[in-house]
Amino acid sequence: MKKLIRHFCVTAVAIAMFLSLSVFASAENKTDVTILFTHDLHSHFLPVTDENGNSFGGYARLMTVINQQKEKHPDAVLVDGGDFAMGSLFQTAYTTNALELRMMGAMGYDATTFGNHEFDYLPQGLMAMLDAAVSSGEYVPAIVDANYLPDIKSDLCDPAAYQKALDNYGVKDYIILERGGIYYAIFGILGFDSNDCAPNSGMVLADPVTTAQKTVDMAVADCLAVYGKEPVVICLSHSGTSGDEGEDYELAKAVNGIDVIISGHTHTTSPEPIVVNNTVIASAGEYGRYLGVVNLSFSADGTSELTGYELIPVDDSVAEDAEIAALVENYKTEVEENYLSKYGMTFDQVLVSNSYKFDTVKEVYATQHESTLCNIFSDAYKWAAEEALGKTVDMAVTAAGVIRESLPVGDVTVSDVFNAASLGVGTEGELVSVYLTGAELKSVLEIDATVQPLMSNAQLFPSGVEYSYNKNRMLFNKVDYAMLRRDDGSLKEIDDDKLYNVVTGMYCGEMLGSVEKTSFGLISIVPKDKDGNAIDMSRLADYVIRDKNGNPVKEWYAISSYLENMGGEMDSRYSQPDGRKVVYSSLNPVKLLSKANKFTYILIAVIVAFALIVVSIVHLIVKAKKRKSKQNKSK
């Protein structure tokens, strides 16, 4: 009996040991990785207050969430998908102190990539920023960029100087990173739309798909050759996606071997991951609203399984990390001393108390409508230009594409305004004064009426005019009413042959100058000087408005000064639309054909011609049938 018991115990122990070893072996064959990510941070060091008064983001809060995740996953990698700059007052030190990269270094980012906004200060600005980051002597994240190279045909960039700045920083196509015995191959890609959004980058775009596949193959081979292990492949892509479409979705479908794509540029928030071709596409929204977390488990045969995906809110329920909060405050002081002091303003200076809820940026883009938020911007441009020029401006205009944030309910600060109009440094952030004929001024309104459904960022918001348009009318003939509206509310006819003074931001000015090309010659707008001579658009900066001290009038400063001039409370005129832009839909023939122009007449002529052709064909067919019928009867 004792022998039987002893035999049973030995057998049980052996089985237990075997099972434990099997479990251990199974665990050993599984590799778990965690990837923490952001994208489109846009220099938003501080929390953002939305139009409802709620706040989100802020790097001190984000650091707290990052630390919490690293406590759970000590070997996690932290990466970013580009556009880490341009979007707040901190960008004013971009070329001199590289605050964005230094802050990301302090937060422990392993790698990032270039987005289109990293080129807003032109190639020279980017090179200066990279050199400033290196000169700081601080840790900064690796930058990976595989397909955006200097264009040797462009006079915007000196390829040799640009390459020297990249080498000095250590920018590469990809990096191999080891963390906890696991190797990661991380590379960067910029997409077609991003390239289109950086017309002055001086770069040329290599095909993202071709380059990505080549880079993946090289990085994997490199890792195997040097370390004898296959890496986890992460693509930091500034291309964008939305659901089952978009450039990064197509990238994942076409390229084999990418485990995770961090998808920036489109500011997409994906509560659930997109998985295609065994690639996880992850997006966490803009401005540090969330910290994204991807958990993967890899088997010994190389297959992977998505075991976790989370977007962790970075809101006012998250405590600030003291070290990062102190660093942000130091940077604020630096911005005030080196930039804002020139304008006699401070970072948190309250300009006005606002009682009205304005459009969100998404609402500005979503439909054709008059926006009280955008009315403030264009009215501010007109007011600031008249103050600087000492004369009446006929029309000022802004576009949806330059509105970056809304203005909050409650106190509106200098920082809030800059965030909303963050193209505030460099030539794109300056107001320009040009002249258009009355016919061209009407064409500007036609562009607004026609283009928005095709390009939501091209919707225009003017000051100094009132107009209406019927969305059902012919393209470039949608406007059925347009008048100049003076400051006293009086209306005046627009004379097609007269020159009118028009003020806008540099970005919009360049867009107006390219209308003929983008409309395939269907419509022409030629910005002119006060004497009616066509302006060389490459010299548009010569027409920047300057104040009495000779300083260029910035968009953000125009808005800030306009709000400050209100005397403490937001003007009640912005509590609702004032009727300057009326959008409606009607199929009433009178509404469709009144004030028809050449585009409508051409359409009518085409329709009539088509109808005549159809009638003629039908007539010939009927006539042929009758002839055949007569022939049959005669037989």
Side-chain angles (χ1 to χ4, degrees):
M1 184 67 179
K2 290 181 178 180
K3 289 183 178 180
L4 182 62
I5 293 173
R6 187 183 298 113
H7 177 74
F8 174 79
C9 290
V10 170
T11 302
V13 170
I15 292 173
M17 290 179 64
F18 174 77
L19 289 174
S20 65
L21 287 171
S22 297
V23 171
F24 180 76
S26 176
E28 283 292 299
N29 289 331
K30 289 283 188 178
T31 301
D32 295 322
V33 303
T34 298
I35 301 164
L36 310 178
F37 69 92
T38 58
H39 52 83
D40 298 293
L41 290 173
H42 287 291
S43 304
H44 276 63
F45 292 32
L46 291 166
V48 175
T49 302
D50 65 20
E51 65 285 349
N52 295 315
N54 301 316
S55 71
F56 63 87
Y59 290 179
R61 294 174 181 172
L62 179 60
M63 186 77 258
T64 296
V65 179
I66 290 170
N67 286 336
Q68 290 170 349
Q69 287 301 304
K70 286 194 171 182
E71 286 181 8
K72 297 178 182 178
H73 311 285
D75 296 324
V77 296
L78 176 61
V79 294
D80 178 79
D83 269 4
F84 51 80
M86 304 300 128
S88 80
L89 277 164
F90 294 101
Q91 76 184 49
T92 61
Y94 179 77
T95 60
T96 55
N97 287 359
L99 298 184
E100 291 85 359
L101 285 177
R102 290 167 60 195
M103 177 62 79
M104 293 174 76
M107 297 172 70
Y109 275 84
D110 294 300
T112 186
T113 190
F114 294 136
N116 51 287
H117 281 287
E118 271 69 74
F119 294 89
D120 281 1
Y121 286 104
L122 307 180
Q124 291 79 6
L126 177 60
M127 288 186 280
M129 184 273 296
L130 293 175
D131 289 341
V134 173
S135 297
S136 73
E138 299 171 11
Y139 167 77
V140 287
I143 297 178
V144 286
D145 170 27
N147 72 322
Y148 212 39
L149 306 171
D151 184 356
I152 59 174
K153 298 179 181 179
S154 172
D155 57 4
L156 291 169
C157 179
D158 178 347
Y162 183 76
Q163 189 60 52
K164 181 179 179 181
L166 295 183
D167 293 341
N168 185 43
Y169 186 93
V171 179
K172 298 179 180 179
D173 293 356
Y174 65 90
I175 61 169
I176 303 295
L177 175 70
E178 184 272 334
R179 189 63 51 76
I182 301 168
Y183 290 89
Y184 297 84
I186 306 174
F187 71 101
I189 288 290
L190 192 128
F192 291 107
D193 188 69
S194 290
N195 179 52
D196 291 341
C197 292
N200 296 315
S201 69
M203 301 293 116
V204 62
L205 184 75
D207 181 72
V209 169
T210 303
T211 306
Q213 188 64 71
K214 178 182 177 181
T215 306
V216 170
D217 294 342
M218 289 176 58
V220 171
D222 185 11
C223 194
L224 284 170
V226 176
Y227 303 107
K229 292 184 178 180
E230 191 164 329
V232 178
V233 179
I234 302 173
C235 174
L236 306 181
S237 176
H238 203 76
S239 304
T241 194
S242 178
D244 59 351
E245 60 182 21
E247 291 187 46
D248 281 328
Y249 186 86
E250 297 303 319
L251 184 72
K253 280 203 307 183
V255 179
N256 296 318
I258 301 176
D259 295 302
V260 177
I261 294 176
I262 304 303
S263 179
H265 182 56
T266 48
H267 294 201
T268 301
T269 302
S270 298
E272 299 296 330
I274 303 165
V275 182
V276 56
N277 191 25
N278 297 318
T279 299
V280 177
I281 305 173
S283 298
E286 74 281 13
Y287 307 159
R289 184 185 297 265
Y290 301 98
L291 175 69
V293 184
V294 175
N295 302 111
L296 296 172
S297 181
F298 289 82
S299 300
D301 61 1
T303 59
S304 64
E305 176 187 2
L306 179 65
T307 55
Y309 178 91
E310 185 179 9
L311 300 184
I312 303 174
V314 181
D315 55 28
D316 53 15
S317 68
V318 178
E320 292 189 340
D321 177 85
E323 184 176 340
I324 296 301
L327 191 56
V328 171
E329 287 301 314
N330 289 339
Y331 287 168
K332 281 178 63 176
T333 300
E334 185 175 313
V335 169
E336 287 187 334
E337 292 176 351
N338 296 333
Y339 183 74
L340 286 175
S341 62
K342 301 174 185 176
Y343 299 91
M345 291 187 168
T346 59
F347 214 104
D348 298 319
Q349 178 182 340
V350 176
L351 300 167
V352 70
S353 177
N354 173 41
S355 303
Y356 312 117
K357 181 180 177 181
F358 295 124
D359 288 344
T360 65
V361 173
K362 289 183 179 179
E363 287 169 341
V364 169
Y365 275 63
T367 61
Q368 294 170 287
H369 68 296
E370 180 187 341
S371 165
T372 51
L373 173 70
C374 300
N375 285 353
I376 292 174
F377 283 30
S378 57
D379 286 352
Y381 296 172
K382 187 173 186 293
W383 174 85
E386 290 175 342
E387 289 286 305
L389 298 173
K391 65 176 185 176
T392 299
V393 169
D394 295 303
M395 185 176 82
V397 64
T398 190
V402 301
I403 310 297
R404 308 300 292 182
E405 289 182 22
S406 187
L407 297 179
V409 173
D411 289 343
V412 179
T413 66
V414 171
S415 179
D416 292 326
V417 170
F418 195 100
N419 290 355
S422 54
L423 294 177
V425 175
T427 56
E428 286 189 345
E430 296 169 350
L431 294 180
V432 294
S433 172
V434 299
Y435 287 80
L436 300 177
T437 66
E440 290 172 325
L441 193 151
K442 291 176 182 177
S443 292
V444 171
L445 305 181
E446 286 291 355
I447 290 170
D448 173 47
T450 297
V451 174
Q452 193 277 343
L454 304 174
M455 295 175 60
S456 59
N457 63 345
Q459 182 173 190
L460 302 177
F461 302 96
S463 175
V465 298
E466 68 175 41
Y467 62 112
S468 66
Y469 60 85
N470 182 354
K471 293 195 289 185
N472 291 328
R473 285 168 65 100
M474 176 61 187
L475 296 178
F476 300 117
N477 192 196
K478 293 182 180 292
V479 176
D480 54 13
Y481 166 77
M483 299 279 282
L484 291 175
R485 181 197 279 187
R486 298 306 188 187
D487 292 342
D488 61 4
S490 63
L491 301 176
K492 190 173 182 179
E493 292 281 352
I494 299 173
D495 184 340
D496 285 354
D497 298 320
K498 184 178 177 180
L499 283 177
Y500 292 96
N501 189 198
V502 177
V503 167
T504 188
M506 180 70 74
Y507 183 84
C508 289
E510 291 176 341
M511 182 179 69
L512 292 176
S514 63
V515 165
E516 184 171 8
K517 179 180 178 181
T518 55
S519 68
F520 301 102
L522 294 176
I523 193 167
S524 175
I525 296 174
V526 181
K528 303 170 182 63
D529 62 22
K530 60 184 178 60
D531 298 318
N533 301 310
I535 290 173
D536 178 353
M537 294 307 292
S538 67
R539 299 184 61 83
L540 187 59
D542 293 343
Y543 299 87
V544 165
I545 299 171
R546 297 183 179 276
D547 63 19
K548 60 184 179 181
N549 297 317
N551 299 313
V553 179
K554 303 285 188 179
E555 294 181 49
W556 74 267
Y557 184 66
I559 300 167
S560 295
S561 300
Y562 182 64
L563 294 178
E564 188 178 33
N565 195 58
M566 289 182 182
E569 295 289 333
M570 181 68 73
D571 196 312
S572 60
R573 79 177 77 175
Y574 299 111
S575 63
Q576 59 186 0
D578 63 15
R580 69 182 68 182
K581 176 177 176 178
V582 177
V583 183
Y584 72 99
S585 297
S586 174
L587 294 175
N588 183 317
V590 175
K591 295 286 188 181
L592 291 174
L593 298 176
S594 65
K595 296 187 178 180
N597 65 14
K598 63 181 180 180
F599 295 103
T600 296
Y601 288 133
I602 290 172
L603 177 63
I604 292 172
V606 170
I607 292 173
V608 170
F610 181 76
L612 290 174
I613 291 171
V614 171
V615 170
S616 298
I617 292 174
V618 171
H619 176 71
L620 291 173
I621 291 173
V622 171
K623 188 175 180 180
K625 286 185 176 180
K626 287 182 178 180
R627 187 184 303 113
K628 187 175 181 179
S629 177
K630 288 181 180 180
Q631 290 174 350
N632 290 336
K633 288 180 179 180
S634 64
K635 293 179 180 179

